[in-house]
Amino acid sequence: MPGGTNVKQRLWRWRSNPLRRRDDIVEAWIVLAVWMVFAVGGSVAGLVTAHAADEVFAAQRAERQRVPAVLLNDVPLSFPAIGGTSDRRTTTVRWTASDGSTRTGRTQVDTGLEAGSTVTVWQDGHGRLTSAPLSATEAAIESGLLGVGAAAGLAGLVFGAGAVVRWQLDRHRIDEWSREWDQVGPRWGHRTS
């Protein structure tokens, strides 16, 4: 508007206004509820998820243990595939479990080793081969990322639900305006006298 000032009215839905409709008040409460659920629910979901993940990673660090294993096959030196970065191959190893039994299984080892070489593998509390547990730092980073992911997932659901409800309110407002225009519009006919 040239020469005029464009003033943005904050919280206009909350102010008394003869043009304010019931749908405007409902929409104001919905927006407030969405932001509150996002702020409180997102924080709670993120913290609970991060804490649960951290407990799982701590339990893995406590349960898993390194054990020496013997290679049963040669693992020849090989070149990674084009674009690949792995210089590890899956092969069969033998190790002694915590209960004293001898076990055999397949795991990833570095290439270039001969049968009979000793490698270090990780086993779980039941003596099965498993991957190495995350370090405390890696677990903290992973827990934080999972917490942020949970908060973001909740935010998507909450904002999506809020958008659907606001869309329905807009449709209702448009229908009301159409009905009112149908009543008032004919009175504004062309009268030239």
Side-chain angles (χ1 to χ4, degrees):
M1 204 161 85
T5 58
N6 187 5
V7 178
K8 183 171 181 151
Q9 293 288 324
R10 300 225 181 257
L11 303 173
W12 67 270
R13 287 182 180 94
W14 297 99
R15 297 175 192 222
S16 180
N17 182 340
L19 298 177
R20 183 182 67 184
R21 298 173 184 241
R22 187 182 67 80
D23 289 347
D24 296 330
I25 297 168
V26 170
E27 184 176 14
W29 281 105
I30 288 169
V31 169
L32 180 64
V34 164
W35 279 102
M36 291 302 293
V37 170
F38 166 66
V40 174
S43 298
V44 169
L47 290 173
V48 167
T49 302
H51 182 67
D54 198 39
E55 285 181 354
V56 168
F57 295 140
Q60 287 177 351
R61 281 193 303 277
E63 178 192 39
R64 295 179 183 179
Q65 53 187 289
R66 311 175 177 230
V67 291
V70 176
L71 286 176
L72 299 180
N73 303 320
D74 288 341
V75 185
L77 195 60
S78 63
F79 298 101
I82 296 174
T85 59
S86 177
D87 58 347
R88 296 177 60 86
R89 296 288 177 251
T90 302
T91 190
T92 307
V93 296
R94 182 177 54 239
W95 74 99
T96 304
S98 55
D99 62 2
S101 63
T102 302
R103 307 259 176 115
T104 304
R106 295 183 61 80
T107 189
Q108 293 252 330
V109 297
D110 293 331
T111 59
L113 300 173
E114 296 179 2
S117 300
T118 302
V119 294
T120 302
V121 295
W122 289 86
Q123 69 177 357
D124 62 14
H126 302 289
R128 295 182 298 237
L129 287 179
T130 187
S131 59
L134 296 177
S135 70
T137 303
E138 292 169 334
I141 292 170
E142 186 76 19
S143 297
L145 290 174
L146 289 171
V148 168
L154 180 70
L157 289 173
V158 169
F159 284 120
V164 167
V165 172
R166 290 180 71 194
W167 174 75
Q168 289 174 342
L169 282 172
D170 284 342
R171 298 277 309 185
H172 186 259
R173 274 191 288 255
I174 290 170
D175 290 343
E176 277 185 13
W177 290 336
S178 177
R179 279 192 299 274
E180 290 175 7
W181 181 254
D182 288 343
Q183 292 173 358
V184 175
R187 293 185 210 160
W188 289 9
H190 290 73
R191 288 188 210 167
T192 55
S193 53

